[in-house]
Amino acid sequence: MDKIKKLMNNFYYDEVILSNDKVTELREKKNINITRLKDGINKYNADNNTDYKLHENLEQGSIAMSTAIEPEYDDFDIDVAIIFEKEKIPSSTDEMKDLIIDFLKPYNYYFKENPKKKNNCIRIEYQDNYHIDFAVYRVSNGYYEHCGLNWTERNPRSINNWFHEQNNLYDDKLRKITRLIKYFSKTRKDWDICGGFIITILVNETLANMTLDVDIDKLLLDAIKSISNRINSNTSVKNPTNNQELINDDKNKKRLKNLKEKLDEHISDIENAYLNNDEQDIKRKWNKFFKTDYFTSNSQQKN
């Protein structure tokens, strides 16, 4: 139905995509904190007679891939890789994370609370619901390793490159469907659902086996049905760039199961509305799916 197709496209551009102003603000905060990090390194070196140096930095995650959404409850975040030369930093991942926190200490009064050492990053939180995740890497002779619980092989550019290649292959549909499902996953505050990267991988897998030349609303319905079936038959999700398992503990398994369960609560109702060719019911069902009144609002019916 042309009306539903138009509504879904309008919803995507009006409600789902993170605004350019907010993306710009996130990037400004990133640049400010990269400057603080560099200045903090210089101060630490002067105070401790060391010679640490930031080798390079680059954006990662949803901002880099342009899959960021307008969150209803969660805060806004930007992921940044900060890369150091392997031979010039501590070999312990804990020591390396502590060192980053020491570099940032002179600027702690700018933050909501002191930077936190997480399993896979250093998190900087602001009062106004923004946070920046610094993912720490080391490099030697072009070989990159990520600072998690241990040092593990990971090129900070590989995921960005993979995503853009796949999105071009699917004519931007990977980005659109990923954003729509990510938006759905954030519409209820009490949900604990797997993160955006896992959703992106699942969407990419399902698009490979689908007819893409359909309206965006029908493609979304086909995608959520396919993802539910896929999780039902296979709960393994691997990083497409290095084949590492991402569903590697009970917490992540539960989050993947939660995604399937929440999708399943809506699939039959939406599918039946399409089978009945009931335009008003289809609008109501997408409203319920996204927890919105957008599809039946008076302003949208006039368009």
Side-chain angles (χ1 to χ4, degrees):
M1 299 178 185
D2 288 343
K3 180 64 175 179
I4 305 299
K5 171 187 173 182
K6 182 178 180 181
L7 280 169
M8 187 65 75
N9 275 314
N10 288 349
F11 178 73
Y12 175 76
Y13 289 106
D14 293 346
E15 303 291 323
V16 174
I17 296 176
L18 186 64
S19 71
N20 288 333
D21 287 346
K22 287 173 182 170
V23 171
T24 298
E25 187 172 356
L26 279 168
R27 285 184 164 140
E28 287 172 350
K29 282 183 165 60
K30 175 207 73 175
N31 292 334
I32 289 169
N33 281 287
I34 289 295
T35 298
R36 287 173 181 158
L37 177 63
K38 291 177 178 178
D39 291 344
I41 292 172
N42 291 336
K43 186 178 188 309
Y44 185 95
N45 286 338
D47 292 343
N48 296 277
N49 194 29
T50 51
D51 62 349
Y52 295 114
K53 183 180 179 181
L54 181 65
H55 180 68
E56 59 179 318
N57 71 90
L58 59 101
E59 289 179 10
Q60 296 184 301
S62 61
I63 297 298
M65 295 187 289
S66 296
T67 60
I69 60 167
E70 288 280 0
E72 184 170 356
Y73 298 110
D74 279 7
D75 60 352
F76 302 94
D77 70 282
I78 185 167
D79 301 323
V80 184
I82 52 174
I83 305 163
F84 297 81
E85 294 181 31
K86 178 178 179 178
E87 293 75 16
K88 298 182 179 180
I89 59 173
S91 59
S92 162
T93 56
D94 270 342
E95 288 181 25
M96 187 60 204
K97 291 174 187 174
D98 288 336
L99 192 59
I100 302 300
I101 289 174
D102 285 341
F103 293 156
L104 294 168
K105 273 183 181 177
Y107 311 99
N108 283 353
Y109 60 90
Y110 288 109
F111 310 135
K112 182 178 181 180
E113 52 189 79
N114 293 346
K116 293 179 181 178
K117 184 166 62 173
K118 311 287 281 186
N119 284 347
N120 292 311
C121 66
I122 304 297
R123 178 161 296 175
I124 300 170
E125 296 193 34
Y126 281 86
Q127 294 286 352
D128 50 353
N129 293 327
Y130 286 86
H131 75 257
I132 297 171
D133 285 343
F134 277 153
V136 184
Y137 288 79
R138 67 184 186 186
V139 61
S140 179
N141 296 319
Y143 180 82
Y144 292 86
E145 294 172 290
H146 173 253
C147 180
L149 296 177
N150 301 290
W151 291 105
T152 55
E153 179 185 0
R154 187 187 304 176
N155 189 315
R157 292 177 173 82
S158 59
I159 292 173
N160 291 351
N161 293 341
W162 166 83
F163 176 83
H164 290 298
E165 288 173 4
Q166 293 301 112
N167 191 54
N168 288 338
L169 179 65
Y170 296 125
D171 194 26
D172 202 42
K173 291 181 173 67
L174 174 57
R175 177 177 287 122
K176 288 182 177 179
I177 299 300
T178 295
R179 272 179 164 154
L180 287 163
I181 297 177
K182 282 176 62 177
Y183 187 91
F184 162 78
S185 76
K186 297 293 186 182
T187 52
R188 281 75 164 180
K189 192 174 184 179
D190 59 332
W191 284 2
D192 186 23
I193 287 178
C194 50
F197 184 38
I198 289 174
I199 289 174
T200 305
I201 294 169
L202 292 172
V203 173
N204 183 69
E205 286 183 15
T206 198
L207 291 181
N209 300 303
M210 289 168 51
T211 300
L212 303 181
D213 189 22
V214 296
D215 294 345
I216 186 66
D217 56 306
K218 293 178 181 176
L219 185 63
L220 176 59
L221 175 57
D222 289 343
I224 62 178
K225 287 164 54 181
S226 179
I227 288 171
S228 173
N229 291 333
R230 191 273 197 209
I231 296 171
N232 188 58
S233 62
N234 180 9
T235 58
S236 171
V237 180
K238 293 184 178 181
N239 184 323
T241 67
N242 60 17
N243 210 37
Q244 290 181 352
E245 180 62 56
L246 299 176
I247 308 299
N248 49 19
D249 57 29
D250 289 341
K251 185 177 182 179
N252 282 320
K253 289 176 184 177
K254 178 62 176 173
R255 286 175 170 171
L256 189 68
K257 181 181 178 182
N258 287 346
L259 173 62
K260 172 183 164 47
E261 289 179 350
K262 298 308 178 184
L263 291 174
D264 286 349
E265 290 175 5
H266 299 272
I267 288 172
S268 293
D269 286 346
I270 299 172
E271 191 169 29
N272 286 336
Y274 276 94
L275 289 172
N276 294 330
N277 202 32
D278 188 332
E279 182 178 294
Q280 292 307 311
D281 195 33
I282 293 170
K283 293 176 186 177
R284 289 191 294 268
K285 295 305 188 291
W286 284 124
N287 271 352
K288 186 176 179 181
F289 182 80
F290 289 113
K291 197 182 177 184
T292 183
D293 63 358
Y294 187 92
F295 292 84
T296 55
S297 66
N298 290 334
S299 61
Q300 287 303 312
Q301 307 317 305
K302 295 173 183 177
N303 291 334

